[in-house]
Amino acid sequence: MGMSGMTRRDVLAQAPKAAVAGALASGLVSGMSGQARAEADDSPLKSDRKIRVGIVGGGFGASFQWHEDPNCTVRAVSDLRPDRRDHLMKTYKCDKSYESLEKLILDKDIEAVAVFTGAPDHARHVLTVMNAGKHAISAVPACIQIEDAYKMKEMKEKTGLKYMMAETSYYRQNCIAARKLFQDGAFGELFYSEVEYYHPGIGAHKDGLSWWNGKKTWRYGLPPMFYPTHSTGLLIGVTGERLTDVSCLGWAPKDEIAWKDNVYNNPFGSCMALMKTDRGHMCRCGVFWDGTAHGERAQWFGTKLTYYMASSGGQPFALKGPGAPKWSDLPDFSYMLPKSMRHASGHGGSHTFLTHEFIAALVEDREPAVNLYEALAMTAPGLVAHQSALKGGEQLKVPSFDKA
Ligand SMILES: NC(=O)c1ccc[n+]([C@@H]2O[C@H](COP(=O)([O-])OP(=O)(O)OC[C@H]3O[C@@H](n4cnc5c(N)ncnc54)[C@H](O)[C@@H]3O)[C@@H](O)[C@H]2O)c1
């Protein structure tokens, strides 16, 4: 969740081209025929249309590739902080800035806004953007209160505007690979998954990101399960199923004061949940701010294939079972991107894909991959998990935000 660029593992996850041949030969990765087509073209999109975007939030929000997408033009940027406004203008080669999101949305020229403000502000800011008649993409999570999930659903259905959540796990190269294997039936029945996001130090008293200018930031004492989407996204982003029942436990180290006094009244530094899905499957879903393990990763267990992502504990990338394709490494998915964006990017190579998917959805007038329904399906189980942990692990139902 930090402003990380590529880790060594991320760089390795940018797959060697040689592996593509194996994937193609295996015939198990659907859509690969698109690769040859895209390689001859500059862009998978056949349109000259340019989506006019505004970008808000010059921390994490400055690590995307809006200026590189041939179908996008950055018309204005905004941050409350002048230094970050400047940084955004330089990064996206844009000469217009506004002092706040609230001012930026008055610009009639802008048709879509990227909201990369702090997590507790996403719902309010996305609602403000959509209320102004503009499409929105936000950083994760979609919201941190269930009531806001209802408001976002209502706004989407009232306006018909598009919303996307920039869930990085969805376009981690391993997640794209698992999704394609799932679509091709390689897993058999995928009946159990272990999905986890371990990021030691987030929200702790001594974490640099917990403080700005001598004041506590939104990260100070943040409940781990208010930030569940890097974990839940690794199941929902692969199979599309919904998490319906949640039982969660929480823990905190005794000597960490951030978990004793924070605006969230949150007593947990780390949480682990057991969740049931609408297909009767099991999911073990964790978010840890404590300990030493690190990473956004999953293990997917099917009747014909078990897929292990590499872990900080030494588990190597492995595909086991009769459903396993003969890959020595991951396929190269860069054919899904315009040529100008086919390079390494943050969080497992996901940033270029997230950028392009939002733009492509608007150009093609279709729902984006992690649309509002998927985003709330990834976010709400964590909010319910936090309540379950406060009740000592009581199993609770997760409300559905899907279309009736
Ligand atoms: N892997 C991931 O998906 C990932 C990684 C890092 C951060 N994030 C998320 O991205 C978001 C941003 O993270 P960050 O580290 O940059 O947070 P941050 O708190 O450092 O930055 C948020 C910025 O938003 C600006 N802002 C707030 N309200 C505004 C307004 N009304 N108008 C204009 N600007 C406003 C602030 O001035 C601040 O610079 C967070 O929600 C975070 O959780 C996600």
Side-chain angles (χ1 to χ4, degrees):
M1 192 168 71
M3 270 289 302
S4 64
M6 299 275 290
T7 63
R8 195 176 118 72
R9 220 172 63 215
D10 286 347
V11 173
L12 289 175
Q14 299 292 303
K17 293 243 186 308
V20 177
L24 281 169
S26 79
L28 275 168
V29 175
S30 63
M32 275 299 190
S33 57
Q35 180 185 7
R37 241 181 302 129
E39 266 184 1
D41 300 334
D42 281 346
S43 170
L45 285 186
K46 298 284 149 276
S47 168
D48 295 333
R49 173 125 151 72
K50 283 193 186 289
I51 304 296
R52 302 181 305 275
V53 301
I55 313 294
V56 183
F60 182 59
S63 63
F64 289 78
Q65 289 76 29
W66 306 104
H67 56 306
E68 291 180 6
D69 195 308
N71 292 98
C72 176
T73 166
V74 179
R75 291 303 240 252
V77 301
S78 176
D79 196 294
L80 301 177
R81 284 170 50 180
D83 59 323
R84 287 191 157 180
R85 282 203 291 275
D86 289 348
H87 179 50
L88 281 169
M89 290 205 291
K90 280 197 194 98
T91 303
Y92 295 127
K93 303 181 190 0
C94 162
D95 54 16
K96 200 197 276 181
S97 74
Y98 290 100
E99 284 166 10
S100 68
L101 171 140
E102 290 74 8
K103 291 191 176 159
L104 180 138
I105 54 145
L106 302 176
D107 187 332
K108 292 197 168 48
D109 186 39
I110 292 172
E111 49 188 326
V113 179
V115 177
F116 287 89
T117 55
D121 292 328
H122 293 164
R124 181 167 53 89
H125 284 158
V126 165
L127 290 170
T128 304
V129 166
M130 291 175 88
N131 198 40
K134 299 173 195 306
H135 306 288
I137 179 170
S138 82
V140 309
C143 58
I144 63 164
Q145 289 182 39
I146 284 286
E147 303 79 66
D148 283 336
Y150 286 104
K151 286 186 196 158
M152 292 175 87
K153 175 177 158 71
E154 194 185 326
M155 178 65 82
K156 203 255 165 322
E157 291 175 358
K158 189 174 82 184
T159 62
L161 290 162
K162 296 180 176 61
Y163 167 82
M164 176 169 167
M165 187 172 76
E167 176 44 58
T168 46
S169 68
Y170 188 87
Y171 283 117
R172 278 188 177 274
Q173 309 300 289
N174 274 287
C175 189
I176 302 176
R179 180 159 58 246
K180 291 192 178 286
L181 289 168
F182 179 81
Q183 286 163 1
D184 286 335
F187 280 99
E189 184 163 0
L190 203 169
F191 60 93
Y192 175 60
S193 55
E194 295 179 352
V195 293
E196 58 203 31
Y197 174 41
Y198 300 154
H199 197 145
I202 292 288
H205 188 79
K206 285 196 178 142
D207 180 20
L209 297 175
S210 288
W211 299 90
W212 168 247
N213 258 355
K215 286 199 186 126
K216 291 174 183 169
T217 69
W218 59 269
R219 281 193 170 92
Y220 191 100
L222 183 74
M225 280 294 176
F226 278 20
Y227 212 88
T229 62
H230 295 336
S231 302
T232 55
L234 288 171
L235 174 63
I236 295 164
V238 169
T239 68
E241 65 204 288
R242 299 298 189 237
L243 295 158
T244 55
D245 300 77
V246 171
S247 167
C248 183
L249 296 175
W251 178 85
K254 290 190 179 47
D255 55 353
E256 173 54 64
I257 58 173
W259 315 127
K260 296 187 171 72
D261 177 22
N262 56 68
V263 292
Y264 307 102
N265 287 323
N266 164 45
F268 307 125
S270 295
C271 283
M272 184 57 76
L274 195 57
M275 304 189 176
K276 190 175 135 189
T277 82
D278 61 347
R279 297 179 196 161
H281 299 150
M282 307 166 285
C283 174
R284 191 213 68 181
C285 173
V287 182
F288 290 178
W289 301 150
D290 304 297
T292 62
H294 199 283
E296 274 173 40
R297 65 177 290 278
Q299 304 188 150
W300 296 276
F301 296 76
T303 49
K304 292 201 296 191
L305 166 65
T306 311
Y307 187 137
Y308 302 86
M309 277 175 72
S311 83
S312 63
Q315 163 73 52
F317 162 71
L319 300 164
K320 299 285 178 195
K326 305 266 174 290
W327 299 350
S328 53
D329 206 337
L330 294 174
D332 181 349
F333 296 111
S334 62
Y335 69 92
M336 295 160 68
L337 296 169
K339 245 183 197 154
S340 51
M341 300 175 85
R342 288 179 201 160
H343 57 71
S345 69
H347 294 88
S350 64
H351 288 207
T352 43
F353 286 80
L354 289 164
T355 306
H356 182 62
E357 170 59 11
F358 182 59
I359 296 301
L362 296 185
V363 169
E364 294 176 336
D365 194 18
R366 61 168 171 79
E367 283 292 308
V370 189
N371 65 25
L372 188 82
Y373 301 107
E374 303 307 308
L376 295 180
M378 293 175 190
T379 303
L383 307 182
V384 176
H386 182 68
Q387 296 306 320
S388 166
L390 290 174
K391 294 180 178 180
E394 187 181 322
Q395 194 182 51
L396 300 176
K397 292 269 177 215
V398 181
S400 166
F401 294 94
D402 286 326
K403 257 190 216 152

